[in-house]
Amino acid sequence: MRKIGISIIATAVFLFCSLTLATAAESMILEYDGGTHEYNGEVYSLVVNNQLLDPPLSPIIFNDRALVPVREIFEEVGATVNYINDTQTIEVYSDDSYVELKINDNIAYINGDKTNIPDNVVPKLISKVGGETKTMVPVRFISENIGLDVEFDSNGGAIIIDSEDYENITGSEEPVIDDEPVYEPPVVQSYLTGISYDVAGDNKVNVTVQASEEINSYSDFELKAPERIVVDLPALKLNGVPENVAINECGVSAVRLGDNDERARVVIDVTNLRNYSVTQTAPNELTIEVTTRKIPAATPAPIVTAKPTAKPSKPARPAGTKLIVLDAGHGGSDSGAVGYMGGNAVLEKTLTLQITNRVKTILENAGYTVSMTRTGDTLPSLVERPTQANEENAAVFVSIHINSAEATDANGTEVFYAESNNGDTYGTTSEKLAKNILNRMLYYMNSTNRGVKTAEHAVTKRCNMPAALAEVGFISNPEEVYNMTTDEYQQKAAQGIAEGIMITLRDIEIPN
Ligand SMILES: [Zn+2]
């Protein structure tokens, strides 16, 4: 995490649309967008920290908005500037916010949140004929989004930006994350504190749940394939109750408990349900009476004709088990990105498998069921990976990768999902999965928050279920590549990913 600081001296902010009294126009031949263009716009000087800058290219005005050379301006005010060639992405970081833009793209990300650049004045690669190509970015848009005010001196024809050291304002060394807050339990007054059951007859099981306060409302409904009864308790959170209670009596296999910001949920997994009822047996207590159809006792293995539509490829799992498919990026002949540490190559495929194995262990120790697209140095195709998850009827799919950039100071953690796979038929979305994973990773890793992003990755877009792709850190960054080879940091990353999955799974109901 890079710590730099900016404070504001400039007091007045003038809109760039008020650029009317500007200095004399200059005629220049500029090269951009694959052609040459005559520029007759106004020319402004740039004053940063009371210094007149002499950038290789003056501010260029399009639609009354100024594009300025990104490095010369924003490094001068103490921000960090990265330009990633492969993706033509520009990143500008201040101490507590960042802006990500793309050449000729109207979409920008502010602290990971998607937004549009005003007036379509987008970043461009511009050069004077025969001159150096500069990465030009909208000055006001970036300045405001990293916490700088910009002053336009219309009489002097200057754009004025000022900064001073952040340390003068605050000594905080904690990373500040604005728009992607670390997961915090919401404030609730009541908790679900108890779960018990008793067998009330040959075909009857009573499940009782207790809350810390009076239960004012609840809703219940029945779902098929697999059969289950769901009881929702608004504004309750779990507290000290197990999330999974195995019953295996009279057709009732288990009770599962979960919660989210809005409610606690009780799910009873059952086969051959005849009926059920929910009764408020005390102000703070609900009893769910579950009656199943009698199966002849003399028939230990009831004859159940397999549905002709049943997919033989689905593995046998206890009813209600939510399978997690983990995908370690790359493998075999595809090493993924390559980093260097002390002259030795570090391969993305090695790190992804190590971290993925740790996620698997954490989840399995917590009682979850996990399947891997690869367990060794093999290369399943980008179609085979999501196909496996779909055929296994997984609840969630998470792919684990390591990032790389030309600029060795690029660093941080980001999680992607595919917009084409962001439906809510599973009770939650890929976006929520990505957010949960990123929040928990940042909590443990303390890495730079690069945000939740969208991309049509081959693996995530083909999944039926919520799917996310985590980029743990940069193999091209000397500090991060070292960290990612250590047990401690790998475990932090894995813990974050695993917890993000577990939080999301509470909301997931696999549809029929
Ligand atoms: Zn990768």
Side-chain angles (χ1 to χ4, degrees), residues 35-50:
T36 55
H37 307 261
E38 189 177 357
Y39 178 76
N40 290 306
E42 311 298 343
V43 175
Y44 299 93
S45 54
L46 274 162
V47 179
V48 178
N49 291 342
N50 296 320

PDB file of all heavy atoms in Angstrom, residues 35-50:
ATOM      1  N   GLY A  35      -4.923   9.034 -36.234  1.00  0.00           N
ATOM      2  CA  GLY A  35      -4.877  10.019 -37.317  1.00  0.00           C
ATOM      3  C   GLY A  35      -4.259  11.317 -36.846  1.00  0.00           C
ATOM      4  O   GLY A  35      -3.912  11.468 -35.681  1.00  0.00           O
ATOM      5  N   THR A  36      -4.109  12.266 -37.769  1.00  0.00           N
ATOM      6  CA  THR A  36      -3.585  13.580 -37.389  1.00  0.00           C
ATOM      7  C   THR A  36      -4.749  14.577 -37.365  1.00  0.00           C
ATOM      8  O   THR A  36      -5.686  14.479 -38.147  1.00  0.00           O
ATOM      9  CB  THR A  36      -2.517  14.093 -38.379  1.00  0.00           C
ATOM     10  OG1 THR A  36      -3.087  14.076 -39.682  1.00  0.00           O
ATOM     11  CG2 THR A  36      -1.286  13.216 -38.363  1.00  0.00           C
ATOM     12  N   HIS A  37      -4.670  15.488 -36.420  1.00  0.00           N
ATOM     13  CA  HIS A  37      -5.758  16.451 -36.216  1.00  0.00           C
ATOM     14  C   HIS A  37      -5.148  17.818 -35.975  1.00  0.00           C
ATOM     15  O   HIS A  37      -4.166  17.946 -35.246  1.00  0.00           O
ATOM     16  CB  HIS A  37      -6.606  16.061 -34.988  1.00  0.00           C
ATOM     17  CG  HIS A  37      -7.104  14.648 -35.038  1.00  0.00           C
ATOM     18  ND1 HIS A  37      -8.370  14.318 -35.443  1.00  0.00           N
ATOM     19  CD2 HIS A  37      -6.479  13.476 -34.736  1.00  0.00           C
ATOM     20  CE1 HIS A  37      -8.521  12.998 -35.382  1.00  0.00           C
ATOM     21  NE2 HIS A  37      -7.383  12.464 -34.957  1.00  0.00           N
ATOM     22  N   GLU A  38      -5.756  18.815 -36.564  1.00  0.00           N
ATOM     23  CA  GLU A  38      -5.305  20.176 -36.290  1.00  0.00           C
ATOM     24  C   GLU A  38      -6.016  20.665 -35.035  1.00  0.00           C
ATOM     25  O   GLU A  38      -7.238  20.582 -34.914  1.00  0.00           O
ATOM     26  CB  GLU A  38      -5.619  21.102 -37.471  1.00  0.00           C
ATOM     27  CG  GLU A  38      -4.955  22.459 -37.289  1.00  0.00           C
ATOM     28  CD  GLU A  38      -5.189  23.378 -38.486  1.00  0.00           C
ATOM     29  OE1 GLU A  38      -5.818  22.925 -39.463  1.00  0.00           O
ATOM     30  OE2 GLU A  38      -4.757  24.545 -38.417  1.00  0.00           O
ATOM     31  N   TYR A  39      -5.216  21.142 -34.082  1.00  0.00           N
ATOM     32  CA  TYR A  39      -5.787  21.614 -32.820  1.00  0.00           C
ATOM     33  C   TYR A  39      -5.676  23.126 -32.775  1.00  0.00           C
ATOM     34  O   TYR A  39      -4.585  23.680 -32.849  1.00  0.00           O
ATOM     35  CB  TYR A  39      -5.048  20.981 -31.636  1.00  0.00           C
ATOM     36  CG  TYR A  39      -5.542  21.455 -30.283  1.00  0.00           C
ATOM     37  CD1 TYR A  39      -6.737  20.981 -29.757  1.00  0.00           C
ATOM     38  CD2 TYR A  39      -4.812  22.386 -29.552  1.00  0.00           C
ATOM     39  CE1 TYR A  39      -7.196  21.420 -28.537  1.00  0.00           C
ATOM     40  CE2 TYR A  39      -5.264  22.823 -28.318  1.00  0.00           C
ATOM     41  CZ  TYR A  39      -6.459  22.341 -27.816  1.00  0.00           C
ATOM     42  OH  TYR A  39      -6.915  22.776 -26.603  1.00  0.00           O
ATOM     43  N   ASN A  40      -6.822  23.764 -32.653  1.00  0.00           N
ATOM     44  CA  ASN A  40      -6.837  25.220 -32.574  1.00  0.00           C
ATOM     45  C   ASN A  40      -7.401  25.702 -31.250  1.00  0.00           C
ATOM     46  O   ASN A  40      -7.835  26.837 -31.129  1.00  0.00           O
ATOM     47  CB  ASN A  40      -7.675  25.807 -33.717  1.00  0.00           C
ATOM     48  CG  ASN A  40      -6.971  25.609 -35.050  1.00  0.00           C
ATOM     49  OD1 ASN A  40      -5.811  25.993 -35.208  1.00  0.00           O
ATOM     50  ND2 ASN A  40      -7.659  24.978 -35.987  1.00  0.00           N
ATOM     51  N   GLY A  41      -7.402  24.815 -30.277  1.00  0.00           N
ATOM     52  CA  GLY A  41      -8.005  25.149 -28.994  1.00  0.00           C
ATOM     53  C   GLY A  41      -7.129  26.070 -28.173  1.00  0.00           C
ATOM     54  O   GLY A  41      -6.021  26.451 -28.571  1.00  0.00           O
ATOM     55  N   GLU A  42      -7.666  26.441 -27.048  1.00  0.00           N
ATOM     56  CA  GLU A  42      -6.921  27.301 -26.138  1.00  0.00           C
ATOM     57  C   GLU A  42      -5.756  26.512 -25.528  1.00  0.00           C
ATOM     58  O   GLU A  42      -5.791  25.297 -25.430  1.00  0.00           O
ATOM     59  CB  GLU A  42      -7.840  27.775 -24.997  1.00  0.00           C
ATOM     60  CG  GLU A  42      -9.167  28.342 -25.460  1.00  0.00           C
ATOM     61  CD  GLU A  42      -9.008  29.586 -26.328  1.00  0.00           C
ATOM     62  OE1 GLU A  42      -7.909  30.185 -26.302  1.00  0.00           O
ATOM     63  OE2 GLU A  42      -9.960  29.938 -27.030  1.00  0.00           O
ATOM     64  N   VAL A  43      -4.754  27.255 -25.125  1.00  0.00           N
ATOM     65  CA  VAL A  43      -3.608  26.618 -24.479  1.00  0.00           C
ATOM     66  C   VAL A  43      -3.454  27.205 -23.082  1.00  0.00           C
ATOM     67  O   VAL A  43      -3.408  28.422 -22.913  1.00  0.00           O
ATOM     68  CB  VAL A  43      -2.314  26.835 -25.288  1.00  0.00           C
ATOM     69  CG1 VAL A  43      -1.123  26.265 -24.535  1.00  0.00           C
ATOM     70  CG2 VAL A  43      -2.452  26.170 -26.643  1.00  0.00           C
ATOM     71  N   TYR A  44      -3.415  26.355 -22.104  1.00  0.00           N
ATOM     72  CA  TYR A  44      -3.323  26.793 -20.715  1.00  0.00           C
ATOM     73  C   TYR A  44      -2.007  26.336 -20.117  1.00  0.00           C
ATOM     74  O   TYR A  44      -1.469  25.300 -20.489  1.00  0.00           O
ATOM     75  CB  TYR A  44      -4.482  26.195 -19.906  1.00  0.00           C
ATOM     76  CG  TYR A  44      -5.807  26.648 -20.435  1.00  0.00           C
ATOM     77  CD1 TYR A  44      -6.500  25.896 -21.378  1.00  0.00           C
ATOM     78  CD2 TYR A  44      -6.332  27.864 -20.032  1.00  0.00           C
ATOM     79  CE1 TYR A  44      -7.693  26.326 -21.897  1.00  0.00           C
ATOM     80  CE2 TYR A  44      -7.527  28.313 -20.551  1.00  0.00           C
ATOM     81  CZ  TYR A  44      -8.213  27.538 -21.483  1.00  0.00           C
ATOM     82  OH  TYR A  44      -9.369  27.995 -21.991  1.00  0.00           O
ATOM     83  N   SER A  45      -1.539  27.101 -19.177  1.00  0.00           N
ATOM     84  CA  SER A  45      -0.368  26.650 -18.434  1.00  0.00           C
ATOM     85  C   SER A  45      -0.827  25.871 -17.215  1.00  0.00           C
ATOM     86  O   SER A  45      -1.989  25.954 -16.815  1.00  0.00           O
ATOM     87  CB  SER A  45       0.505  27.838 -18.037  1.00  0.00           C
ATOM     88  OG  SER A  45      -0.278  28.793 -17.343  1.00  0.00           O
ATOM     89  N   LEU A  46       0.081  25.131 -16.643  1.00  0.00           N
ATOM     90  CA  LEU A  46      -0.227  24.298 -15.488  1.00  0.00           C
ATOM     91  C   LEU A  46       0.627  24.743 -14.320  1.00  0.00           C
ATOM     92  O   LEU A  46       1.848  24.778 -14.418  1.00  0.00           O
ATOM     93  CB  LEU A  46       0.095  22.833 -15.812  1.00  0.00           C
ATOM     94  CG  LEU A  46      -1.006  22.054 -16.506  1.00  0.00           C
ATOM     95  CD1 LEU A  46      -0.426  20.814 -17.144  1.00  0.00           C
ATOM     96  CD2 LEU A  46      -2.106  21.681 -15.522  1.00  0.00           C
ATOM     97  N   VAL A  47      -0.036  25.082 -13.221  1.00  0.00           N
ATOM     98  CA  VAL A  47       0.688  25.501 -12.032  1.00  0.00           C
ATOM     99  C   VAL A  47       0.388  24.497 -10.924  1.00  0.00           C
ATOM    100  O   VAL A  47      -0.768  24.338 -10.517  1.00  0.00           O
ATOM    101  CB  VAL A  47       0.278  26.922 -11.590  1.00  0.00           C
ATOM    102  CG1 VAL A  47       1.036  27.313 -10.326  1.00  0.00           C
ATOM    103  CG2 VAL A  47       0.530  27.912 -12.720  1.00  0.00           C
ATOM    104  N   VAL A  48       1.406  23.769 -10.511  1.00  0.00           N
ATOM    105  CA  VAL A  48       1.222  22.762  -9.474  1.00  0.00           C
ATOM    106  C   VAL A  48       2.121  23.125  -8.307  1.00  0.00           C
ATOM    107  O   VAL A  48       3.328  23.307  -8.485  1.00  0.00           O
ATOM    108  CB  VAL A  48       1.551  21.351 -10.010  1.00  0.00           C
ATOM    109  CG1 VAL A  48       1.410  20.312  -8.903  1.00  0.00           C
ATOM    110  CG2 VAL A  48       0.633  20.999 -11.180  1.00  0.00           C
ATOM    111  N   ASN A  49       1.552  23.274  -7.139  1.00  0.00           N
ATOM    112  CA  ASN A  49       2.298  23.668  -5.946  1.00  0.00           C
ATOM    113  C   ASN A  49       3.136  24.922  -6.203  1.00  0.00           C
ATOM    114  O   ASN A  49       4.325  24.965  -5.897  1.00  0.00           O
ATOM    115  CB  ASN A  49       3.197  22.525  -5.461  1.00  0.00           C
ATOM    116  CG  ASN A  49       2.372  21.379  -4.909  1.00  0.00           C
ATOM    117  OD1 ASN A  49       1.194  21.558  -4.580  1.00  0.00           O
ATOM    118  ND2 ASN A  49       2.966  20.208  -4.821  1.00  0.00           N
ATOM    119  N   ASN A  50       2.493  25.906  -6.788  1.00  0.00           N
ATOM    120  CA  ASN A  50       3.118  27.198  -7.067  1.00  0.00           C
ATOM    121  C   ASN A  50       4.267  27.112  -8.063  1.00  0.00           C
ATOM    122  O   ASN A  50       5.037  28.050  -8.198  1.00  0.00           O
ATOM    123  CB  ASN A  50       3.620  27.868  -5.779  1.00  0.00           C
ATOM    124  CG  ASN A  50       2.454  28.200  -4.863  1.00  0.00           C
ATOM    125  OD1 ASN A  50       1.400  28.631  -5.352  1.00  0.00           O
ATOM    126  ND2 ASN A  50       2.628  27.971  -3.581  1.00  0.00           N
TER     127      ASN A  50
END
